[in-house]
Amino acid sequence: MSKIDSKIPQGPLAEKWSNYKAHQKLVNPANKRRLDIIVVGTGLAGGSAAASLGELGFNVLNFCIQDSPRRAHSIAAQGGINASKNYQNDGDSVYRLFYDTIKGGDYRAREANVHRLAEVSGSIIDQCVAQGVPFAREYGGLLDNRSFGGAQVSRTFYAKGQTGQQLLLGAYSALSRQVGKGTVKLYTRYEMLDVVIIDGRARGIIARNLVTGKIERFAAHAVVIATGGYGNAFFLSTNAMGSNASAAIQAYKKGAYFANPCYAQIHPTCIPVHGESQSKLTLMSESLRNDGRIWVPKKKEDAEAIRAGKLKPTQIKEDDRDYYLERRYPAFGNLVPRDVASRAAKERCDAGYGVGSTGLAVYLDFSAAIERLGQKTVEARYGNLFQMYDKIVDENPYETPMMIYPAIHYTMGGVWVDYELQTSIKGLFAIGEANFSDHGANRLGASALMQGLADGYFVLPYTIQNYLSDQITVPRYSTSLPEFDAAEKAIKERISKLMSIKGKRSVDSLHKELGLIMWDFVGMGRNKAGLETAIEKIKAVKKEFWSNVRIPGAGDDLNTELEKALRVADFIEIGYLMATDALHREESCGGHFREEYQTEDGEALRQDDKFSYVGCWKYNGEESEPELLKEDLNYEFIKVQQRNYKA
Ligand SMILES: Cc1cc2nc3c(=O)[nH]c(=O)nc-3n(C[C@H](O)[C@H](O)[C@H](O)COP(=O)(O)OP(=O)(O)OC[C@H]3O[C@@H](n4cnc5c(N)ncnc54)[C@H](O)[C@@H]3O)c2cc1C
């Protein structure tokens, strides 16, 4: 069995990262110019990494599928970014952010990584402010903070409900500066289709020019994947339509381990599904839970009357409302972590108290906040989110409570990386949502932006040098090498195969079928029989896809259906991995809720003696099952306990 070496430095927790930086190998400025790095992705992780590596003097090639780096999915992030600055003087510290994150992840993340994340969180805010990111400020001029789930302090920095957009504009400015200086070359509308391995090391990629359809080769001394998460395996999700799992699956098939694929996050506050033709779900930011109160009717007959359109929520008296999160979790109330809030909403709806025409919705009510703070203040905090809700649902949320329901939102699993963010393939790194590193089984709100920017601005620029320092004598690789020929040939064959099927099913119909299987059997509640069913059904979808998909147009031209088909083929692979991982993990933890493993009051029940490890899946070829390798999680510095948000 391969040995999993996470390369966690020795020493006290709070000194590991400083010691690492003090002793790691560096590349001198003259040598940096001779080293090429491919960064795939221009979201907050990829954009910040490419800009930082360019600033250091490396030669960076930066790819994205959109027509501008600014259109990466990160632009959608709404609510905020965490950092333990303690501006509120409410008891925050590096340790508390570390502790909340480990606990929030249900004790399934590495201590050393999470502590490093908390340590660098403050620098992220400083860097972004220096770039001009317009974070909200309070009266005294300091940056304002709000609260997110799983924390009892206010540590979330925000720019209205557009934090991702503003942070991405900051990263984009830094990136543009490097493009101007010539250290970063941008390749927009290019899609990576494979990673090229030479003598066991990542040495380049094959990418398709999405405008011309031409397959092109790119060589480098190292490759960084920053391609985001795989939530769109569920078809309906809050992710951008273009978010995909393909680069991660390509890396997996070339030998990179895929870690914890079953850890997917269902977000409690999304606009409920409202029709069969929908292709996207809209998030209502978690920040709304700062001031919004979640409830359903106490009486079933009221819920029934609401569903039948005979009663309005505003007609339900205060005493007849069940603020179930405040009731069940008095200490954290509406700000329990996402997995807890999602399951509680499902429990109420399954029990018959759901509202909306489908009964699959609960209320998020601002009437008390408006009374307390005034509409103007609420509008200043969340105005764009309220407007978005009004436009989609055609109801004024200042007057009537919003309706929300959980939806797939984020994936904690991803490409396995060690402490240096290097995958199990030498020279191949993964950052941001594409890796699995810091969130364990459940990510706390506002921590994805923190992790993506930590990886890109403050971690990878150091750790990649430890790898590159012994590559300085390696000359630039030629893209005419046989390994590039073979990778390009395989891609061309895959595209020809897809184009030649000429079946009857559209790509979307197959994607939708996969998504329904995922939601029904690998979603909020999972069980053995359901997961076994999912595995069989996913196999059937795969067979149907590869024998009956229809892709119009040509393979060597602009062809958006072909782009989708290539991505859906990989979503099928990730769906299979997710179900397989979920089946093997016979415990509940964070976003992975196995119905067989719950406490008497319906909370997730971990099995620490059996499952306190990172599940790493190794690809063993098309005809074989993936192999499970385990990276043990050793908690040296905190006491592992049952998560409790009640007291
Ligand atoms: C609606 C919404 C709101 C959110 N709000 C918050 C929030 O308030 N706070 C928070 O912390 N987190 C939030 N998140 C999560 C957070 O936005 C994401 O986790 C984070 O932005 C991911 O950043 P990333 O750089 O890893 O990937 P992405 O932003 O997804 O970027 C991926 C990049 O990879 C490129 N790419 C992908 N595949 C390929 C390929 N094969 N070839 C070439 N390029 C490729 C894309 O073009 C893109 O540039 C939110 C998520 C959603 C969906």
Side-chain angles (χ1 to χ4, degrees), residues 214-477:
K214 194 170 166 232
I215 306 292
E216 299 180 29
R217 306 171 180 197
F218 300 89
H221 293 88
V223 176
V224 180
I225 293 176
T227 48
Y230 51 88
N232 277 350
F234 286 72
F235 185 66
L236 283 183
S237 93
T238 62
N239 287 194
M241 298 289 287
S243 292
N244 69 89
S246 291
I249 288 292
Q250 291 148 23
Y252 162 70
K253 290 197 167 173
K254 282 287 171 81
Y257 306 148
F258 205 111
N260 298 332
C262 77
Y263 293 163
Q265 175 162 88
I266 313 268
H267 197 298
T269 56
C270 301
I271 298 181
V273 177
H274 56 261
E276 300 239 315
S277 322
Q278 225 175 325
S279 52
K280 169 93 185 72
L281 292 176
T282 306
L283 176 76
M284 288 286 102
S285 166
E286 177 161 315
S287 59
L288 294 170
R289 288 199 270 147
N290 271 266
D291 290 310
R293 296 179 72 197
I294 295 177
W295 63 274
V296 288
K298 257 185 201 162
K299 297 183 202 152
K300 261 195 192 155
E301 56 270 29
D302 283 350
E304 277 158 16
I306 286 176
R307 290 202 289 271
K310 292 180 189 152
L311 203 60
K312 292 194 172 123
T314 43
Q315 293 172 299
I316 307 280
K317 287 200 250 54
E318 192 59 24
D319 282 354
D320 291 334
R321 299 175 176 198
D322 176 14
Y323 294 94
Y324 56 87
L325 289 177
E326 297 171 32
R327 169 171 58 79
R328 283 180 66 176
Y329 307 100
F332 283 70
N334 292 296
L335 282 171
V336 288
R338 292 173 178 180
D339 55 329
V340 177
S342 295
R343 280 196 289 278
K346 181 176 186 300
E347 187 278 328
R348 282 295 76 193
C349 293
D350 289 352
Y353 297 90
V355 295
S357 55
T358 58
L360 292 178
V362 300
Y363 289 126
L364 178 61
D365 194 333
F366 286 85
S367 53
I370 291 172
E371 209 177 300
R372 183 168 37 93
L373 305 164
Q375 182 164 329
K376 274 216 163 114
T377 307
V378 171
E379 204 173 323
R381 286 182 189 170
Y382 316 108
N384 68 310
L385 301 171
F386 275 54
Q387 189 190 32
M388 205 158 74
Y389 182 88
D390 196 350
K391 286 205 163 147
I392 292 172
V393 183
D394 197 21
E395 270 182 1
N396 181 349
Y398 293 103
E399 289 168 6
T400 185
M402 288 183 184
M403 278 185 291
I404 50 162
Y405 196 68
I408 184 80
H409 176 66
Y410 181 88
T411 45
M412 282 75 68
V415 182
W416 181 87
V417 288
D418 61 20
Y419 186 74
E420 297 185 312
L421 305 179
Q422 186 163 213
T423 72
S424 47
I425 298 175
K426 279 192 183 151
L428 182 66
F429 294 77
I431 58 174
E433 193 174 340
N435 76 22
F436 89 106
S437 67
D438 294 356
H439 308 293
N442 172 58
R443 170 178 74 82
L444 289 184
S447 285
L449 302 185
M450 172 173 68
Q451 182 228 331
L453 290 180
D455 287 359
Y457 285 135
F458 295 108
V459 181
L460 184 79
Y462 288 94
T463 60
I464 201 169
Q465 294 192 54
N466 212 29
Y467 170 75
L468 289 172
S469 59
D470 67 0
Q471 299 293 303
I472 50 179
T473 54
V474 176
R476 289 211 155 102
Y477 275 82

Side-chain angles (χ1 to χ4, degrees), residues 40-46 63-66 72-74 76-80 190-192 226-228 238-239 244 283 409-410 432-433 443 446-449:
V40 188
T42 59
L44 284 173
F63 293 79
C64 70
I65 56 179
Q66 290 84 6
H73 158 65
S74 289
Q78 300 172 345
Y190 271 83
E191 181 152 7
M192 167 183 172
T227 48
T238 62
N239 287 194
N244 69 89
L283 176 76
H409 176 66
Y410 181 88
E433 193 174 340
R443 170 178 74 82
S447 285
L449 302 185

